[in-house]
Amino acid sequence: MNRELIIDSNVAEVNIALLEDKNLVELHKEQANNNFSVGDVFLGKVKKIMPGLNAAFVDVGHEKDAFLHYFDLGQQFKSLNKYVKLALQGKAHLIKFEDLKLEPDIDKAGKITQVLTTGQQILVQIAKEPISTKGPRISTEISFPGRYLVLLPFSNKISISQKIKDKEERNRLKRLIQSIVPNNYGIIVRTVAENKKVSELDADLKNLIDKWEQIIKKLPNLKAPQKVLSELNRTSAILRDLLNETFNNIHVNDPAIYGEVKTLLERIAPEKKDIVKLYKGKAPIFEHFGVDKQIKSSFGKTVTIKSGIYLIIEHTEALHVIDVNSGHRVNKEKSQEENALATNLEAATEIARQLRLRDMGGIIVIDFIDMQDAKNRRALYQHLKDEMSKDRAKHTILPPSKFGLVQITRQRVRPEMEIQVLEQCPVCGGTGKIKPSVMLIDDIENNLNYLIQEQNEKKLTLTVHPFVHAYITKGFNSLQMKWFLKYKQWIKVIPAKNYHFLEFRFYNKDGDDLKS
């Protein structure tokens, strides 16, 4: 598979496009002013406790208070709370973190009123960014993702990614981590750690522990609400999680990010460092690589697939609904059931791409074309699972119901990617009303008369829609010939396919637009 990363950096944001075999499958946007990114750590202040919800609202500096549920406290909340209190008093340095005696786990069926009080200062981490009218979702189970490992303070568990299947490799990694991890730190070993040396894992671990220690050092001088640690910016986080040796090309238009990517690639796959290229072309980088065109065709309510199949994608507050339509795709040599299966399989591939591309989360309901044969429904279900296996977001897919509906839940931690693909009508300016088409020729002739008789222009060129071009130029007694006889000069008329029906422009002999 040919995998390419196209990175477009400008003043307001950084856009990252992931292409697989030239098809756009992921699009990420990082705003320059996003102060509440997933992974950011804050010192927050409990504003309100809601016993009925078994949750609390915490002030982290956002206009809407962050939401903290009891289940998001983490089993070792008492240990975290005790250590944060020591740090706020400037006493954390008196006891080494590895020597800290952990408190008993909180009761899984407990109440939030047993562990939190109004006005209490607590250390929290953004789990979900603010979406729509909701504030951030937070957790006190602090974690730090690295290239190969995820660090969990106040834990002693070691977990290995389920995607690492080899039993010997799983055991090797577990032994390595046990030999290097200090007490009171839990570790999740990521998939990319497979076959890595202990020196690489140890360097990653030390970097993550340093992050935690920096937070503790900052606390004595802080007062809630206050950001304590920023997660890597979105660009760096995406590169950390996405970038591996499977990429064929990485194109960047910003020298600073170019250097960052090159350094990262030299560390993880030095033999492929030359795939990073600094783009210096005149055209915008997304336009040059065809990303803009794919964005325009892939977003919006209706998504058309090349074979004629199309999807209707609707969004509500509670869920997303996708309707599959066969369009004009019908193979007369096949039965209705066979046609339905072929259409559904092709639609499933595009739906899996759309979920990644738009970063749609929550509940997704897909209305596939009805199929009577249970074997075909199983084939569709398996195909959808295979296509969704490329998705890094956690998701669950239910088999097709008897109504032909497939339900998916997909992890949502950021607002859905939404791009407006409809443009304002250049003819009516969005009003829905245009000049009478019968007045078009009068408008052209009025402009022509002004330019020749008032401005004394010579060798004029008129550019119009192809239909209007045919009307003006065809026939012996054409309008073009009448103008020649009237003005004693030949008016060159050129058709332009990209013009709307009522658009026209005049150019002088030097090619200057005379702003008709």
Side-chain angles (χ1 to χ4, degrees), residues 7 10 31 36 42 50 65 79 81 122 199 204 221 246 278 292 317 354 442 512 515:
I7 305 175
N10 55 54
Q31 300 292 333
F36 297 90
F42 285 80
M50 307 290 288
D65 289 338
S79 298
N81 195 38
I122 57 173
S199 58
D204 200 31
N221 302 314
T246 65
L278 182 61
D292 271 343
E317 188 68 25
Q354 285 289 327
D442 285 352
D512 297 327
K515 304 294 182 187

Side-chain angles (χ1 to χ4, degrees), residues 256-465:
I257 297 178
Y258 168 77
E260 185 182 333
V261 176
K262 191 114 178 168
T263 303
L264 182 57
L265 206 60
E266 282 175 350
R267 187 157 59 90
I268 65 173
E271 72 281 1
K272 301 202 78 172
K273 65 181 181 180
D274 293 332
I275 67 173
V276 187
K277 298 176 179 69
L278 182 61
Y279 176 75
K280 297 179 180 178
K282 291 183 179 179
I285 188 169
F286 270 17
E287 184 180 320
H288 178 78
F289 289 100
V291 176
D292 271 343
K293 189 174 181 181
Q294 289 198 56
I295 289 173
K296 293 291 185 184
S297 63
S298 300
F299 286 85
K301 180 180 176 180
T302 304
V303 177
T304 304
I305 306 172
K306 286 182 179 178
S307 61
I309 300 167
Y310 64 95
L311 310 174
I312 303 293
I313 303 177
E314 297 275 10
H315 309 283
T316 72
E317 188 68 25
L319 51 82
H320 308 276
V321 181
I322 302 176
D323 184 34
V324 177
N325 295 275
S326 60
H328 53 73
R329 175 177 175 154
V330 178
N331 189 332
K332 294 179 181 177
E333 296 177 2
K334 292 183 178 179
S335 66
Q336 182 179 348
E337 183 77 4
E338 290 173 321
N339 276 319
L341 177 61
T343 298
N344 286 339
L345 292 177
E346 192 170 346
T349 301
E350 178 61 24
I351 288 167
R353 171 179 170 261
Q354 285 289 327
L355 298 186
R356 288 174 70 190
L357 184 57
R358 300 181 186 220
D359 205 7
M360 292 163 63
I363 301 172
I364 299 115
V365 178
I366 308 165
D367 182 12
F368 284 103
I369 295 171
D370 289 346
M371 295 184 296
Q372 304 302 318
D373 195 330
K375 181 179 73 175
N376 290 339
R377 291 198 293 271
R378 286 194 299 271
L380 171 62
Y381 176 55
Q382 187 59 49
H383 180 72
L384 187 57
K385 285 207 300 183
D386 292 342
E387 290 295 326
M388 289 288 290
S389 66
K390 304 169 189 174
D391 195 340
R392 292 179 298 120
K394 294 177 183 176
H395 58 270
T396 304
I397 308 171
L398 297 183
S401 70
K402 63 180 180 180
F403 300 119
L405 301 178
V406 171
Q407 299 170 71
I408 300 175
T409 59
R410 186 176 182 274
Q411 181 186 30
R412 177 171 69 175
V413 295
R414 296 183 178 91
E416 181 195 345
M417 178 69 67
E418 190 175 353
I419 295 176
Q420 293 296 329
V421 296
L422 299 179
E423 299 174 353
Q424 190 180 73
C425 172
V427 186
C428 69
T431 63
K433 294 178 170 61
I434 61 172
K435 286 183 179 180
S437 54
V438 294
M439 298 295 293
L440 174 63
I441 299 302
D442 285 352
D443 279 350
I444 293 174
E445 289 186 333
N446 288 341
N447 276 273
L448 190 59
N449 190 64
Y450 170 76
L451 291 170
I452 292 175
Q453 296 192 347
E454 300 292 331
Q455 299 294 320
N456 200 28
E457 291 284 354
K458 306 292 184 185
K459 295 184 179 179
L460 287 171
T461 299
L462 171 64
T463 309
V464 292
H465 186 276

Side-chain angles (χ1 to χ4, degrees), residues 81-217:
N81 195 38
K82 176 183 174 182
Y83 196 61
V84 168
K85 279 183 179 178
L86 284 174
L88 288 170
Q89 294 165 7
K91 297 178 181 178
H93 66 282
L94 299 176
I95 182 167
K96 212 173 177 184
F97 185 75
E98 295 88 66
D99 299 332
L100 186 72
K101 185 180 178 182
L102 298 184
E103 298 292 314
D105 290 352
I106 62 172
D107 184 2
K108 289 182 180 179
K111 300 296 181 185
I112 199 148
T113 50
Q114 297 169 336
V115 289
L116 286 183
T117 56
T118 304
Q120 182 179 346
Q121 293 191 107
I122 57 173
L123 200 65
V124 299
Q125 189 169 38
I126 304 294
K128 287 186 180 181
E129 291 178 10
I131 296 173
S132 186
T133 58
K134 299 175 183 176
R137 179 84 181 248
I138 56 176
S139 169
T140 59
E141 200 164 14
I142 311 293
S143 64
F144 302 97
R147 174 68 185 161
Y148 305 115
L149 310 172
V150 178
L151 181 73
L152 305 165
F154 306 102
S155 172
N156 284 299
K157 293 180 182 177
I158 296 174
S159 305
I160 312 291
S161 167
Q162 293 180 353
K163 291 182 180 178
I164 299 177
K165 303 294 183 185
D166 187 272
K167 191 174 181 180
E168 287 186 16
E169 177 61 11
R170 293 177 67 87
N171 290 334
R172 182 189 79 91
L173 287 168
K174 193 159 191 175
R175 286 196 305 272
L176 284 181
I177 297 302
Q178 285 172 337
S179 68
I180 62 175
V181 66
N183 189 39
N184 291 337
Y185 288 109
I187 296 291
I188 299 172
V189 180
R190 307 183 74 174
T191 310
V192 288
E194 192 169 10
N195 300 319
K196 296 300 176 186
K197 297 176 183 176
V198 65
S199 58
E200 295 175 282
L201 301 179
D202 188 47
D204 200 31
L205 176 62
K206 286 177 178 175
N207 180 49
L208 298 175
I209 290 176
D210 184 59
K211 276 188 178 183
W212 169 243
E213 290 176 345
Q214 289 301 319
I215 287 176
I216 299 305
K217 286 177 184 176

Side-chain angles (χ1 to χ4, degrees), residues 7-23:
I7 305 175
D8 175 24
S9 176
N10 55 54
V11 177
E13 61 187 9
V14 177
N15 300 308
I16 301 178
L18 172 60
L19 306 182
E20 291 180 355
D21 292 332
K22 302 295 181 183
N23 289 320

